[in-house]
């Protein structure tokens, strides 16, 4: 166990600095100050970050840190922190260490007991979540899913019984297929697609997954997307656990629950009889006798 006291100014540190995801005005005063004061900025794409630095008159040197050189760069950056330097880590946009190799650098620094200081800031997933209208009581960030259809559906199936709102990232050219697979696995749940968040053409589409599939087929989609899907219902969770969703209900409540979903009492009785493997007359009698006696 280790305790980090971030307010102590002794020694080097790795600073995780969020950058705007589309609107430069989302850059914070603290982020600018940290990038100016840092000894070195480790950037996922130095060409991209140079433009950001130019906009805020930041002259700190840059070094690349990305998926293809992270192993050799990791030791270089950790060595500089051990020497007492202040290293700032940025991604192309948003919070570093989320859906990028920065998480590996953070893990390595923490393993050595080096100081890691994270700044709050722009983030597409959380911004999309609070704008979607879906439940924020609990949520799960999944990030990008596999490009291959079979693997993608396997990932969806793993998350299908989870009750929390699910947050995904997806590229625009794969969105259509991703939504179609999501509809196949999750059914017609409430969902939202947020594209170009904080940018000029920000668009937020809400509806059911079936409606979103139809929308995605109407034309070309541009911009990175956040896809949010509502969590599993109580019935779906119980079904995944191998327990019938109605197991805790009386026959009367079982029938009433199906009526509440829009079925007629006749059809509800028929369904309950089938699900409980009971004669229809037994369900009919239990429903009518019990409901009339209450």
């Amino acid at each position: 166990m280790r305790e980090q006291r971030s307010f102590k100014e002794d020694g080097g540190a790795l600073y995780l600095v969020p950058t705007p995801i589309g609107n430069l005005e989302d850059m914070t005063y603290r982020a600018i100050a940290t990038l100016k004061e840092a000894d070195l900025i480790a950037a996922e794409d130095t060409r991209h970050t140079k433009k950001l630095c130019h906009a805020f008159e930041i002259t700190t040197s840059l070094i690349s840190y990305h998926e293809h050189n992270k192993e050799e760069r990791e030791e270089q950056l950790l060595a500089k922190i051990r020497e007492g330097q202040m290293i700032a880590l940025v991604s192309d946009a948003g919070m570093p260490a989320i859906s990028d190799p920065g998480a590996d650098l953070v893990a390595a620094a923490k393993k050595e007991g080096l100081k890691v200081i994270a700044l709050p800031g722009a983030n597409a997933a959380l911004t999309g979540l609070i704008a979607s209208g879906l439940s924020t009581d609990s949520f799960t960030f999944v990030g990008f899913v596999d490009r291959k259809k079979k693997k993608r559906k396997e990932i969806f199936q793993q998350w299908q019984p989870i009750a929390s709102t699910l947050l995904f990232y997806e590229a625009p050219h794969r969105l259509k297929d991703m939504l179609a697979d999501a509809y196949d696995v999750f059914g017609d749940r409430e969902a939202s697609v947020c594209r170009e968040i904080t940018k000029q053409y920000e668009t937020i589409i809400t509806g059911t997954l079936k409606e979103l599939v139809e929308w995605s087929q109407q034309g070309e989609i541009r911009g990175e997307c956040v896809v949010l899907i509502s969590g599993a219902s109580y019935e779906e969770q119980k079904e995944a656990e191998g327990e019938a969703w109605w197991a805790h209900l009386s026959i009367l409540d079982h029938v009433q629950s199906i009526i509440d979903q829009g079925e007629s009492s006749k059809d509800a009785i028929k369904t309950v009889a089938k699900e409980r493997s009971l004669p229809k007359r037994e369900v009919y009698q239990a429903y009518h006798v019990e409901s009339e006696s209450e």
Side-chain angles (χ1 to χ4, degrees), residues 53-229:
C53 289
H54 178 73
F56 293 100
E57 300 179 341
I58 297 165
T59 57
T60 308
S61 298
L62 299 171
I63 187 172
S64 65
Y65 176 79
H66 49 66
E67 188 64 37
H68 304 296
N69 71 356
K70 64 179 183 181
E71 292 183 4
E72 62 178 273
R73 279 283 191 265
E74 182 176 295
E75 180 48 38
Q76 293 176 31
L77 295 171
L78 294 179
K80 291 182 184 297
I81 297 171
R82 289 188 211 107
E83 292 168 2
Q85 292 193 28
M86 177 178 173
I87 303 298
L89 177 69
V90 299
S91 62
D92 284 351
M95 297 288 288
I98 295 178
S99 295
D100 68 50
D104 296 333
L105 182 61
V106 173
K110 297 296 285 186
K111 190 175 181 180
E112 283 196 35
L114 298 174
K115 193 184 293 182
V116 177
I117 299 176
L119 278 62
N123 173 268
L126 291 180
T127 307
L129 172 65
I130 60 175
S132 69
L134 299 179
S135 174
T136 59
D137 290 343
S138 69
F139 52 87
T140 302
F141 175 73
V142 182
F144 288 99
V145 291
D146 203 277
R147 301 180 181 192
K148 295 178 181 175
K149 184 181 183 72
K150 182 180 178 183
K151 184 64 178 176
R152 182 165 57 217
K153 293 186 82 167
E154 287 176 356
I155 294 171
F156 285 157
Q157 285 162 354
Q158 291 172 10
W159 293 106
Q160 196 271 347
I162 304 301
S164 61
T165 301
L166 302 173
L167 284 60
F168 300 91
Y169 283 161
E170 190 52 279
H173 62 281
R174 291 195 295 269
L175 184 66
K176 190 184 302 182
D177 292 336
M178 186 264 198
L179 289 174
D181 289 342
Y183 176 55
D184 282 346
V185 175
F186 295 109
D188 205 17
R189 292 189 189 177
E190 293 294 319
S192 179
V193 172
C194 305
R195 55 174 290 273
E196 302 276 63
I197 291 178
T198 78
K199 297 181 182 177
Q200 181 179 2
Y201 296 106
E202 175 181 286
T203 307
I204 299 172
I205 304 100
T206 53
T208 66
L209 274 172
K210 183 179 180 182
E211 290 171 333
L212 293 180
V213 169
E214 293 170 353
W215 163 81
S216 69
Q217 293 171 345
Q218 293 174 4
E220 183 183 4
I221 299 168
R222 296 181 179 179
E224 296 293 323
C225 299
V226 180
V227 179
L228 306 104
I229 300 173

Side-chain angles (χ1 to χ4, degrees), residues 160-164 189 230-249 254 257 261:
Q160 196 271 347
I162 304 301
S164 61
R189 292 189 189 177
S230 60
S233 65
Y234 178 80
E235 290 81 0
E236 289 172 318
Q237 294 172 58
K238 287 301 175 187
E239 184 177 352
E241 292 171 1
E243 179 182 346
W245 67 269
W246 43 263
H248 67 294
L249 299 177
H254 189 176
S257 177
Q261 295 172 35

Side-chain angles (χ1 to χ4, degrees), residues 17-23 26-27 31 35 48-49 52 89-96 121-123:
V17 183
T19 56
I21 55 177
N23 189 328
D26 292 332
M27 190 75 170
L35 293 180
H48 183 85
T49 303
L52 179 78
L89 177 69
V90 299
S91 62
D92 284 351
M95 297 288 288
N123 173 268

